Every structure is written in structure tokens, then in C-alpha cells.
Amino acid sequence: MWTCNNWKDYEVIDTSKGEKIERWGDYRLVRPDPQVIWDTKRDSEIWRKKNGHYHRSKKGGGEWDFYNLPEEWEISYPLFTSEEGDEFLKRNNVAEPISKELVFHLKPFSFKHTGLFPEQAVNWDWMSKLILKKKYNNPDKPVKVLNLFAYTGGATLAAAASGAHVTHVDSSKGIVNWAKENAKSSGLADAPIRWLIDDCLKFVEREIRRGNKYDGIIMDPPSYGRGPKGEVWKIEESVFPLICKCCEILSEKPLFFLINSYTTGLQPAVLKYMMEVALSHFQGEIESDEIGLPVTETGLYLPCGASGRFTGKI
């Protein structure tokens, strides 16, 4: 399992009976998690001190109960400030990245989310090192990264902070504006980021016709969704054709390709298999695994989906 242990403003405190209690900065939230099928003892003090609790309804959806929780607040992620990250920068003679602190605005959604998936930090660290190393070896050539289904921009900010030129694509205008706010708070308002509100498949098809190429592609598709004009997306039917189309806009020697999945049917081996088939003509290494987060009270790790990675030869 790939895990991130560098968070200071976030932690999974405990898990039990279909729920997890998390610390987001100064606030504690209890949210449902389908992976938490164990029934373990709940320490009353830990679970009682909460600022928000999302209750799932048997009819679908759910609702929040709030206890002294602001409408919006911020947390930050220390990109490159871990001991491992600092050592990497020194070892590769890399100058300071554009920004070392990624700052995220949080607010509770009606469907339990807060606007950030903290487990993805393990992938931010991975691709940021690749971008920095590529820039060190080719300082005069920009590293172009495409982020599809880009949400509130965690991966976009990590790539931009590492010096990449990023194209951020999401079908929701509100979500793209949220990502712009995160970029501004992170000191990346003037970074070379292109913000686009578009259907991801149609955008990729246009890029194929234009002949545009990218050194890195990030894909974080939903299980089900609709584009800005009502286009239907079902991951089991749509993800492999999209991967194949994305291969047509990869540069001749791509740096990386990242696919994330929260759909239980798409296990790590499935992601790896799809990437091995689609990316067979590129030189590099393909690997896949679960991603997860440490649980403070037990020392165990909570599974949070899966990722497939292609790492090109730099």
C-alpha cells in the first residue's frame, strides 16, 4: 500500500462501525466510510469531541450535523518539507520549488466530502519528484502536465509548485473556481496553469486533432458523472477508451501517467492491466497498489482506493 505520512494538518484519528473520525486542521469530522466494516470499541472521549457528523440516509444521500464548525477553513500540506523531500532536492541539486506549502480551502458538501482527498498526497509527492528531476536534466524545456477530472486542484498545485506547466480540466465551473482559490492561497496565482471547464473526453479528442502533447497525465475519474452538457460517464465503460486516447497526446518520451480509482471493481491489478495494454509502446515502468492513510489510534492503515502509475525513463 502506498501511504502518506507527511500530513501535519490532517489525520485519521480512529475508525469503527462504518465511520471514521478525522482531524482537519483544528476541527474534527465524523464521516461514513464503506471500507470500515469492523466493529471496534469507540473511546467516548475521542468520538465525542467532534465539530461535524455526516449521517448517511437509508434512502440515499445524507445530512450533516454541525457543532461549532465554520462554513469554510484552510489546511496546508508541506510539499518537499519532509526529511525525504529535502534530501531529494539536495541530492539532485534542485533549486527551491515555486511553493512549499499547498493551501486548501475546505467546506462540507451535502454529500459528505470536504473538497480534498488527503490520501492523494502520496501521489503528489511521487510526481513532484519526477517533474523536478526532469527540469533539472532539461532546464530549458517546460514540463507539460494535463490533469483530467481535476476537482479542487490538489495534483494541479503539486505539479505547478514543482515547476510544471499545467492544464486543469473539470466539468464544474464552481469546482474550477474553488481550485483557483486554492492556487491563490498557495502562492501559485501566477503559476503557468490553464484552467478549463470542459468535458474531459471531448477535450482530449480536440487535443488529438490539434496535435498537442503532454509529458505527464493525471486522471482521477468519478465512478459516475455528467459533463457540462449532460454527457454521461460510467467508469467501467469509459475509462479504458479514454486512457487509449490520452496515449495519443503523450509526448514521445512521457514522464508519467497516473490513474486513480475509488470504484471497488477497479482493483490495482485492473489499473495496471489497462495501462500495460494502452502504454505498451512507451518505455517505462508500470506499477499499481492501494493507497491509504495511517490511523492514529491503531497504527494500521485505512484503504482509500487504488492508483496505477507509469514512470517513464528520464
Side-chain angles (χ1 to χ4, degrees):
M1 180 183 286
W2 293 325
T3 62
C4 177
N5 297 287
N6 297 333
W7 277 103
K8 294 180 175 60
D9 282 356
Y10 173 85
E11 66 175 317
V12 180
I13 302 171
D14 200 5
T15 60
S16 179
K17 300 178 183 178
E19 294 182 316
K20 57 188 174 185
I21 180 166
E22 309 157 286
R23 180 180 62 83
W24 299 80
D26 295 329
Y27 305 99
R28 291 185 176 194
L29 302 180
V30 177
R31 299 190 296 157
D33 192 306
Q35 297 291 334
V36 182
I37 61 175
W38 45 89
D39 183 353
T40 52
K41 182 180 179 181
R42 294 193 182 197
D43 182 284
S44 59
E45 192 66 21
I46 291 173
W47 290 85
R48 189 186 303 123
K49 291 183 177 180
K50 57 189 176 184
N51 300 97
H53 192 163
Y54 186 88
H55 301 277
R56 191 177 294 284
S57 170
K58 293 181 180 180
K59 298 179 181 180
E63 62 181 5
W64 284 95
D65 286 332
F66 296 124
Y67 315 97
N68 196 28
L69 182 73
E71 292 185 2
E72 185 173 326
W73 70 103
E74 293 180 352
I75 65 171
S76 63
Y77 180 71
L79 194 70
F80 300 116
T81 56
S82 67
E83 186 175 319
E84 179 187 0
D86 286 339
E87 177 59 31
F88 174 84
L89 296 176
K90 293 175 184 176
R91 186 169 63 250
N92 290 280
N93 297 318
V94 176
E96 291 287 303
I98 297 173
S99 172
K100 279 192 153 189
E101 289 282 333
L102 305 183
V103 180
F104 302 99
H105 294 261
L106 304 177
K107 48 191 172 185
F109 276 72
S110 59
F111 48 93
K112 90 170 182 176
H113 295 308
T114 62
L116 184 66
F117 295 102
E119 65 274 7
Q120 285 298 327
V122 69
N123 285 322
W124 305 341
D125 291 337
W126 166 75
M127 67 179 166
S128 293
K129 291 176 183 178
L130 292 175
I131 293 168
L132 283 169
K133 194 169 184 179
K134 178 80 170 181
K135 286 182 64 64
Y136 171 71
N137 292 333
N138 301 274
D140 298 325
K141 184 179 179 181
V143 178
K144 296 178 62 180
V145 172
L146 172 62
N147 188 8
L148 299 172
F149 311 97
Y151 198 47
T152 57
T156 293
L157 302 190
S162 306
H165 292 224
V166 186
T167 298
H168 175 110
V169 184
D170 197 279
S171 63
S172 169
K173 181 179 180 180
I175 291 295
V176 172
N177 287 336
W178 191 342
K180 290 180 181 179
E181 292 176 8
N182 288 336
K184 184 177 180 180
S185 297
S186 301
L188 297 168
D190 297 325
I193 303 173
R194 187 164 57 133
W195 307 98
L196 298 175
I197 303 163
D198 207 342
D199 175 78
C200 290
L201 174 59
K202 291 185 177 180
F203 173 77
V204 170
E205 289 174 338
R206 287 197 299 273
E207 290 294 84
I208 292 172
R209 294 193 293 270
R210 294 167 182 149
N212 290 334
K213 300 291 183 179
Y214 296 88
D215 302 298
I217 293 179
I218 304 155
M219 187 187 299
D220 200 350
S223 298
Y224 178 85
R226 290 186 180 273
K229 295 183 179 179
E231 302 90 343
V232 176
W233 166 274
K234 293 182 181 179
I235 194 168
E236 294 86 353
E237 300 173 2
S238 306
V239 68
F240 183 68
L242 179 56
I243 293 170
C244 293
K245 287 184 180 294
C246 284
C247 289
E248 298 184 50
I249 58 174
L250 280 172
S251 57
E252 185 177 346
K253 294 182 179 180
L255 183 60
F256 68 85
F257 198 130
L258 171 66
I259 304 174
N260 296 306
S261 173
Y262 295 92
T263 304
T264 55
L266 298 186
Q267 299 297 322
V270 176
L271 298 179
K272 184 177 182 182
Y273 201 112
M274 288 192 296
M275 297 181 80
E276 286 182 340
V277 172
L279 294 153
S280 60
H281 55 292
F282 292 107
Q283 290 190 338
E285 178 185 358
I286 295 173
E287 55 185 344
S288 63
D289 208 337
E290 290 182 281
I291 55 174
L293 289 164
V295 181
T296 304
E297 285 298 305
T298 62
L300 301 177
Y301 287 85
L302 177 65
C304 301
S307 293
R309 297 172 176 173
F310 166 86
T311 305
K313 291 187 177 181
I314 301 176

